[in-house]
Amino acid sequence: MKAPFDNESTAHRLVTALAKVGLALRTRAWQAAGERGLTPTQTQLLTLLDGGSAPGARLAQLAAGLGVTPATASEAVAALVRKGLVKSERAADDARARDIRLTRAGRQMARRAAGWTDFLRAAADTLEPGEQAVFLRGLVKMIRELQERGEIPVSRMCVTCLYFRPNEHPGEDLPHHCAFVDAPFGDRSLRLDCGDHVVVAPDQSGELWKRFVDRGSDTGSGPSPSPTQ
Ligand code: SF4
């Protein structure tokens, strides 16, 4: 017998669910940014600068990180400079480039603004640890697919990192290895924006991805070949 509610696929339902979460995020982003006299893009820019490992960022980097055009990023930087939250100075290593960095007030604002997603984290906290790990793994796969299709900017995720060794260890809990910190970790610790990320070479990214999604096929058989540094 045909099960009820089979008129649409699970993928379709997932998209509907993600759209509802996206709507909540968009609404909150405008609300939180408006309370601070910023736009969502300006808020994201502050957060991006606060999370960066380099002392200063270039405009092209910021535009790529935000998934906006350089012109939009440039407008946001100019507005933040006027508000005293960001400094834009000539780069020491390139006379044509500018180093963009937070001022002290900008860093404080970035830390305060970072809390605007707390409402969503509270909802994520209600999931069991196992559910969180499965959900995160699924989202990582979707984000990687969107990156491959050029729909969203490439983010600094473990699954695209030179240091990532997927399914290197036996067992379900900590199957992966980060060669940067030389430690095992599990799906629940997969990172989406790691400051130590180094993008893997294009000719090795397919193999890295295959080893991540083929969980269990080589688990327990010893270390698999790693991307060369
Ligand atoms: S360096 Fe960061 S992104 Fe790369 S594998 Fe380690 S934790 Fe993941």
Side-chain angles (χ1 to χ4, degrees):
M1 193 174 79
K2 195 171 187 288
F5 321 124
D6 260 2
N7 55 335
E8 61 184 9
S9 66
T10 306
H12 184 91
R13 287 172 215 268
L14 271 173
V15 170
T16 305
L18 288 171
K20 286 180 188 294
V21 173
L23 183 62
L25 273 170
R26 222 170 24 253
T27 306
R28 280 297 189 109
W30 276 105
Q31 189 184 332
E35 284 164 4
R36 297 185 167 85
L38 302 170
T39 65
T41 303
Q42 291 164 14
T43 305
Q44 286 168 358
L45 201 146
L46 291 179
T47 306
L48 198 61
L49 284 169
D50 193 37
S53 52
R58 302 283 157 84
L59 191 66
Q61 270 177 287
L62 294 173
L66 294 172
V68 300
T69 63
T72 301
S74 176
E75 259 175 50
V77 168
L80 290 170
V81 168
R82 286 195 297 276
K83 293 172 204 272
L85 300 174
V86 153
K87 281 188 288 192
S88 172
E89 295 165 339
R90 181 174 296 173
D93 58 345
D94 182 352
R96 293 166 306 169
R98 315 263 322 157
D99 268 343
I100 298 154
R101 62 188 77 210
L102 293 171
T103 61
R104 183 193 291 257
R107 193 163 301 283
Q108 286 170 351
M109 179 68 91
R111 302 276 158 91
R112 284 202 302 274
W116 76 270
T117 52
D118 285 355
F119 77 102
L120 201 52
R121 195 167 63 205
D125 275 342
T126 65
L127 300 178
E128 299 293 330
E131 290 176 322
Q132 289 178 343
V134 170
F135 193 29
L136 179 58
R137 183 179 171 91
L139 286 174
V140 163
K141 290 172 89 169
M142 284 187 71
I143 291 168
R144 201 251 185 195
E145 181 61 28
L146 290 169
Q147 288 180 175
E148 288 288 299
R149 290 168 183 252
E151 300 284 351
I152 56 173
V154 175
S155 68
R156 302 177 296 181
M157 303 196 295
C158 290
V159 293
T160 59
C161 180
L162 176 69
Y163 298 115
F164 187 44
R165 309 285 186 264
N167 296 314
E168 186 86 347
H169 303 291
E172 289 283 312
D173 267 5
L174 305 170
H176 314 308
H177 197 90
C178 170
F180 185 81
V181 295
D182 193 19
F185 66 102
D187 279 352
R188 68 173 59 89
S189 304
L190 285 168
R191 300 188 71 183
L192 295 155
D193 190 21
C194 172
D196 301 317
H197 176 273
V198 175
V199 70
V200 71
D203 64 337
Q204 295 178 336
S205 74
E207 174 60 23
L208 187 70
W209 181 245
K210 189 169 177 307
R211 281 173 27 218
F212 173 65
V213 294
D214 287 355
R215 188 195 326 253
S217 60
D218 59 359
T219 303
S221 59
S224 46
S226 301
T228 49
Q229 290 189 34

